[in-house]
Amino acid sequence: MTIINKIIDGKMYARKLLEEIYPLSKGFLDNFNRKPSLTVIQVGDNPASRIYVKNKILTAKKNGIESKEILLASDVSEDELIHHISILNKNENVDGILVQLPLPKHISEKKIINIIDSSKDVDGFHPINLGKLFMGDSKFIPCTPLGCLYILKHEIGDIKGKNAVIVGRSNIVGKPMASLLLSSDCSVTITHSRTKNIQEHTRKADILIVAVGIPEMIDEKFIKPGAIVIDVGINRLETKTRDNISNKGVLVGDVKFEKVLKIAKKITPVPGGVGPMTIACLMHNTIKAAYINKKIDFVNVLEGIL
Ligand code: GUN
């Protein structure tokens, strides 16, 4: 296999999913005289979050979804943020609500996630939605793990019985990813910052999912030859010019791409791998929320995946 064939095209998969869901957003507009709608709240001006939020808003607009952004100052109180969410919860023309994370330290993320109406929780972070996922009865599945599963099912087909190893145990990626892979009959290992000899685990992985947030931590020594490697990390490495002026820097994942590319069967690049799929899955969840809001059946375009 040539090297180029080993690189998984996340943008292509994102386009495919967006094409699959477009008829559902169009159908919603035809029936209800308004588009499915998403409101994104950002607190503060974290530059990485600004880029993610802009991409979400823009992709929604391009795909027949009404999108709105609420930008709040970094010193906004927890009560004021809760007040904004309560208004959106009650607004029947708002289908999906997303509060961009991380939040400033003085605001409890747990509390905020709990306040969002679980039927509008397009991130799938509310305890009801995570609980449903873990019981195999999902409603909204967190977008990044869902995007990873979409890629895996299209790349491998049946993943039954595969050894899947996850590096990272966050509520957003690691834990829900483990649940999805278990439901697909993989044998799942979760490793994390306190795991001893991580390589002993990762070298057994047919499927390796890395979501640890450490730039290029995973090199070729962690990889079983022929593994499928999904890199969830997005890290901006600041670079300096010769005059010692820092510029915008390069984006790298949690995987040393060039090294691992030589050993893995397939690998997602950064950028252009998991990132676009996360956003496409958010669009899917938003349209699903709109159908739930109107209490009508949602044609499950991901039936073959889950
Ligand atoms: N921050 C990083 N990823 C995400 C995500 O998927 N959703 C939200 N709300 N915040 C994030």
Side-chain angles (χ1 to χ4, degrees):
M1 186 184 280
T2 62
I3 279 196
I4 193 87
N5 289 337
K6 288 184 169 193
I7 302 174
I8 297 171
D9 186 349
K11 285 189 194 157
M12 179 273 291
Y13 281 128
R15 270 196 306 275
K16 179 173 159 56
L17 177 57
L18 290 169
E19 276 167 22
E20 284 167 346
I21 60 177
Y22 184 73
L24 298 174
S25 82
K26 175 78 172 57
F28 187 89
L29 173 63
D30 293 344
N31 276 293
F32 299 105
N33 220 12
R34 72 162 177 84
K35 295 175 180 174
S37 81
L38 170 69
T39 300
V40 180
I41 302 180
Q42 186 184 342
V43 180
D45 55 2
N46 176 316
S49 292
R50 292 292 317 132
I51 295 170
Y52 299 147
V53 169
K54 271 191 188 154
N55 280 339
K56 289 170 185 177
I57 296 284
L58 205 69
T59 309
K61 285 197 161 71
K62 281 187 190 159
N63 288 279
I65 295 169
E66 187 81 43
S67 58
K68 196 179 148 201
E69 185 186 356
I70 298 176
L71 184 55
L72 301 173
S74 58
D75 61 354
V76 72
S77 69
E78 192 173 82
D79 282 348
E80 197 175 338
L81 176 56
I82 289 172
H83 177 67
H84 278 278
I85 295 170
S86 305
I87 291 172
L88 296 171
N89 280 344
K90 285 186 210 122
N91 185 341
E92 60 183 36
N93 289 324
V94 171
D95 301 307
I97 304 169
L98 180 151
V99 178
Q100 187 67 23
L101 304 178
L103 289 170
K105 294 236 163 8
H106 66 280
I107 299 177
S108 157
E109 290 187 355
K110 245 188 207 166
K111 196 165 172 185
I112 294 305
I113 288 168
N114 262 287
I115 297 289
I116 298 170
D117 181 334
S118 69
S119 294
K120 301 190 178 195
D121 167 39
V122 287
D123 259 330
F125 295 165
H126 191 285
I128 288 183
N129 288 319
L130 283 177
K132 278 179 175 288
L133 172 64
F134 292 139
M135 299 193 73
D137 172 31
S138 60
K139 187 163 153 194
F140 293 114
I141 298 172
C143 303
T144 299
L146 182 56
C148 294
L149 189 71
Y150 187 93
I151 290 174
L152 287 172
K153 288 280 173 91
H154 282 85
E155 287 290 331
I156 310 178
D158 192 1
I159 60 176
K160 198 178 293 172
K162 301 273 184 204
N163 281 337
V165 178
I166 302 164
V167 187
R169 56 174 158 181
S170 69
N171 291 336
I172 296 180
V173 184
K175 289 182 201 165
M177 189 76 245
S179 178
L180 284 173
L181 290 167
L182 268 178
S183 296
S184 291
D185 298 322
C186 288
S187 302
V188 181
T189 305
I190 306 183
T191 65
H192 48 80
S193 54
R194 301 291 165 91
T195 302
K196 296 204 170 79
N197 294 324
I198 288 191
Q199 287 184 21
E200 268 179 28
H201 299 280
T202 58
R203 288 179 69 88
K204 293 185 184 136
D206 304 311
I207 296 167
L208 181 65
I209 314 270
V210 189
V212 72
I214 302 176
E216 299 184 319
M217 174 184 141
I218 302 295
D219 63 19
E220 71 279 16
K221 295 191 285 301
F222 289 72
I223 307 296
K224 170 178 163 178
I228 309 274
V229 179
I230 307 288
D231 186 356
V232 176
I234 305 179
N235 311 285
R236 193 171 289 280
L237 287 189
E238 225 180 68
T239 54
K240 297 256 166 93
T241 63
R242 253 189 281 160
D243 316 326
N244 216 21
I245 299 167
S246 59
N247 57 26
K248 276 170 86 183
V250 286
L251 277 189
V252 297
D254 294 348
V255 176
K256 239 187 174 81
F257 182 78
E258 299 297 339
K259 297 275 187 198
V260 172
L261 181 62
K262 292 188 183 133
I263 294 190
K265 184 171 179 199
K266 291 277 178 98
I267 179 170
T268 57
V270 177
V274 174
M277 273 312 296
T278 296
I279 297 188
C281 289
L282 175 65
M283 302 303 124
H284 165 273
N285 284 355
T286 301
I287 298 168
K288 185 171 184 176
Y291 278 75
I292 289 172
N293 188 5
K294 293 291 182 188
K295 299 187 172 50
I296 47 171
D297 284 340
F298 175 73
V299 179
N300 188 2
V301 293
L302 296 177
E303 204 159 55
I305 306 294
L306 297 169

